[in-house]
Short mmCIF file of all heavy atoms in Angstrom, two decimals:
data_model
loop_
_atom_site.label_atom_id
_atom_site.label_comp_id
_atom_site.label_asym_id
_atom_site.label_seq_id
_atom_site.Cartn_x
_atom_site.Cartn_y
_atom_site.Cartn_z
N ALA B 95 -5.98 44.57 -7.68
CA ALA B 95 -5.38 43.95 -8.81
C ALA B 95 -6.25 44.02 -10.08
O ALA B 95 -5.75 44.21 -11.20
CB ALA B 95 -5.09 42.49 -8.51
N LYS B 96 -7.59 43.96 -9.92
CA LYS B 96 -8.48 43.95 -11.01
C LYS B 96 -8.65 45.31 -11.63
O LYS B 96 -9.02 45.45 -12.84
CB LYS B 96 -9.86 43.43 -10.64
CG LYS B 96 -9.92 41.93 -10.57
CD LYS B 96 -9.80 41.29 -11.93
CE LYS B 96 -11.08 41.47 -12.85
NZ LYS B 96 -10.92 40.83 -14.10
N SER B 97 -8.53 46.44 -10.85
CA SER B 97 -8.91 47.73 -11.38
C SER B 97 -7.75 48.71 -11.53
O SER B 97 -7.81 49.63 -12.37
CB SER B 97 -9.99 48.32 -10.50
OG SER B 97 -9.47 48.48 -9.22
N GLU B 98 -6.70 48.54 -10.76
CA GLU B 98 -5.71 49.61 -10.73
C GLU B 98 -4.42 49.31 -11.46
O GLU B 98 -3.48 50.07 -11.43
CB GLU B 98 -5.43 49.94 -9.27
CG GLU B 98 -6.67 50.21 -8.48
CD GLU B 98 -6.47 51.31 -7.48
OE1 GLU B 98 -5.77 52.27 -7.75
OE2 GLU B 98 -7.01 51.16 -6.35
N LEU B 99 -4.34 48.22 -12.15
CA LEU B 99 -3.16 47.89 -12.86
C LEU B 99 -3.35 47.89 -14.35
O LEU B 99 -2.39 47.67 -15.12
CB LEU B 99 -2.65 46.48 -12.40
CG LEU B 99 -2.38 46.35 -10.90
CD1 LEU B 99 -2.14 44.90 -10.51
CD2 LEU B 99 -1.24 47.20 -10.58
N VAL B 100 -4.55 48.17 -14.79
CA VAL B 100 -4.92 48.17 -16.21
C VAL B 100 -3.93 48.95 -17.06
O VAL B 100 -3.61 50.11 -16.78
CB VAL B 100 -6.33 48.72 -16.43
CG1 VAL B 100 -6.69 48.73 -17.91
CG2 VAL B 100 -7.36 48.00 -15.58
N GLY B 101 -3.32 48.30 -18.02
CA GLY B 101 -2.45 48.92 -18.99
C GLY B 101 -1.02 49.09 -18.54
O GLY B 101 -0.13 49.46 -19.32
N LYS B 102 -0.70 48.80 -17.32
CA LYS B 102 0.68 48.80 -16.81
C LYS B 102 1.37 47.58 -17.47
O LYS B 102 0.71 46.58 -17.78
CB LYS B 102 0.72 48.74 -15.32
CG LYS B 102 0.24 49.90 -14.58
CD LYS B 102 0.48 49.85 -13.09
CE LYS B 102 -0.22 50.95 -12.32
NZ LYS B 102 0.28 52.29 -12.58
N GLU B 103 2.65 47.62 -17.55
CA GLU B 103 3.39 46.50 -18.09
C GLU B 103 4.02 45.68 -16.97
O GLU B 103 4.40 46.21 -15.93
CB GLU B 103 4.56 47.06 -18.99
CG GLU B 103 4.02 47.74 -20.27
CD GLU B 103 5.12 48.42 -21.01
OE1 GLU B 103 6.15 48.72 -20.40
OE2 GLU B 103 4.95 48.63 -22.22
N LEU B 104 4.08 44.35 -17.22
CA LEU B 104 4.76 43.48 -16.25
C LEU B 104 5.80 42.65 -16.98
O LEU B 104 5.55 42.02 -18.03
CB LEU B 104 3.68 42.49 -15.69
CG LEU B 104 4.25 41.47 -14.68
CD1 LEU B 104 4.76 42.17 -13.41
CD2 LEU B 104 3.23 40.39 -14.29
N GLY B 105 7.04 42.70 -16.44
CA GLY B 105 8.10 41.96 -17.01
C GLY B 105 8.90 41.24 -15.95
O GLY B 105 8.79 41.52 -14.77
N LEU B 106 9.63 40.20 -16.39
CA LEU B 106 10.43 39.34 -15.49
C LEU B 106 11.92 39.47 -15.90
O LEU B 106 12.20 39.38 -17.09
CB LEU B 106 10.07 37.86 -15.55
CG LEU B 106 8.55 37.52 -15.43
CD1 LEU B 106 8.40 35.95 -15.50
CD2 LEU B 106 7.98 38.00 -14.13
N VAL B 107 12.79 39.67 -14.95
CA VAL B 107 14.19 39.56 -15.12
C VAL B 107 14.67 38.40 -14.30
O VAL B 107 14.61 38.42 -13.05
CB VAL B 107 14.96 40.88 -14.70
CG1 VAL B 107 16.47 40.64 -14.79
CG2 VAL B 107 14.50 42.04 -15.61
N VAL B 108 14.99 37.31 -15.00
CA VAL B 108 15.25 36.09 -14.27
C VAL B 108 16.68 35.57 -14.46
O VAL B 108 17.17 35.54 -15.66
CB VAL B 108 14.32 35.00 -14.78
CG1 VAL B 108 14.49 33.69 -14.00
CG2 VAL B 108 12.90 35.47 -14.73
N SER B 109 17.35 35.23 -13.42
CA SER B 109 18.71 34.65 -13.63
C SER B 109 18.58 33.11 -13.49
O SER B 109 17.87 32.61 -12.62
CB SER B 109 19.71 35.22 -12.60
OG SER B 109 19.34 34.95 -11.29
N LEU B 110 19.37 32.44 -14.32
CA LEU B 110 19.33 30.97 -14.41
C LEU B 110 20.68 30.39 -14.05
O LEU B 110 21.69 30.99 -14.45
CB LEU B 110 18.95 30.55 -15.80
CG LEU B 110 17.68 31.17 -16.43
CD1 LEU B 110 17.56 30.84 -17.87
CD2 LEU B 110 16.48 30.70 -15.68
N GLY B 111 20.67 29.27 -13.37
CA GLY B 111 21.89 28.59 -13.11
C GLY B 111 22.34 27.64 -14.24
O GLY B 111 23.25 26.85 -14.05
N THR B 112 21.58 27.64 -15.23
CA THR B 112 21.84 26.73 -16.38
C THR B 112 21.62 27.46 -17.73
O THR B 112 21.05 28.52 -17.67
CB THR B 112 20.98 25.42 -16.29
OG1 THR B 112 21.20 24.64 -17.40
CG2 THR B 112 19.45 25.82 -16.23
N ALA B 113 22.12 26.93 -18.84
CA ALA B 113 22.01 27.62 -20.13
C ALA B 113 20.57 27.72 -20.50
O ALA B 113 19.80 26.77 -20.30
CB ALA B 113 22.83 26.93 -21.17
N VAL B 114 20.17 28.86 -21.14
CA VAL B 114 18.75 29.07 -21.51
C VAL B 114 18.38 28.04 -22.59
O VAL B 114 17.21 27.69 -22.74
CB VAL B 114 18.58 30.47 -21.97
CG1 VAL B 114 19.24 30.75 -23.27
CG2 VAL B 114 17.08 30.87 -22.00
N GLU B 115 19.35 27.50 -23.32
CA GLU B 115 19.11 26.50 -24.39
C GLU B 115 18.54 25.21 -23.82
O GLU B 115 17.92 24.44 -24.55
CB GLU B 115 20.35 26.20 -25.22
CG GLU B 115 20.93 27.33 -26.02
CD GLU B 115 21.64 28.43 -25.20
OE1 GLU B 115 22.01 28.10 -24.08
OE2 GLU B 115 21.74 29.56 -25.68
N ASN B 116 18.73 24.96 -22.58
CA ASN B 116 18.20 23.73 -21.93
C ASN B 116 16.73 23.75 -21.76
O ASN B 116 16.09 22.77 -21.43
CB ASN B 116 18.86 23.55 -20.56
CG ASN B 116 20.30 23.11 -20.71
OD1 ASN B 116 20.70 22.56 -21.75
ND2 ASN B 116 21.08 23.27 -19.66
N PHE B 117 16.08 24.91 -21.95
CA PHE B 117 14.67 25.06 -21.73
C PHE B 117 13.92 24.92 -23.06
O PHE B 117 13.74 25.92 -23.76
CB PHE B 117 14.33 26.35 -21.04
CG PHE B 117 14.86 26.45 -19.67
CD1 PHE B 117 16.16 26.87 -19.39
CD2 PHE B 117 14.08 25.96 -18.58
CE1 PHE B 117 16.61 26.88 -18.09
CE2 PHE B 117 14.54 26.01 -17.30
CZ PHE B 117 15.85 26.46 -17.04
N ALA B 118 13.58 23.70 -23.48
CA ALA B 118 12.82 23.44 -24.70
C ALA B 118 12.43 21.98 -24.70
O ALA B 118 13.07 21.19 -23.98
CB ALA B 118 13.67 23.77 -25.92
N SER B 119 11.44 21.65 -25.50
CA SER B 119 11.09 20.23 -25.54
C SER B 119 12.23 19.44 -26.14
O SER B 119 12.95 19.90 -26.99
CB SER B 119 9.78 20.03 -26.32
OG SER B 119 9.67 20.85 -27.44
N GLY B 120 12.45 18.22 -25.58
CA GLY B 120 13.61 17.45 -25.96
C GLY B 120 14.89 17.77 -25.32
O GLY B 120 15.87 17.08 -25.40
N LYS B 121 14.92 18.94 -24.62
CA LYS B 121 16.12 19.36 -23.91
C LYS B 121 15.92 18.97 -22.38
O LYS B 121 14.84 18.65 -21.98
CB LYS B 121 16.30 20.87 -24.08
CG LYS B 121 16.58 21.31 -25.48
CD LYS B 121 17.93 20.79 -25.94
CE LYS B 121 18.32 21.34 -27.31
NZ LYS B 121 18.83 22.68 -27.21
#
Side-chain angles (χ1 to χ4, degrees):
Chain B
K96 278 294 284 179
S97 63
E98 306 217 39
L99 301 171
V100 179
K102 292 186 192 294
E103 294 172 337
L104 179 67
L106 309 180
V107 172
V108 183
S109 63
L110 307 170
T112 175
V114 72
E115 293 76 20
N116 288 337
F117 294 86
S119 37
K121 296 294 188 77

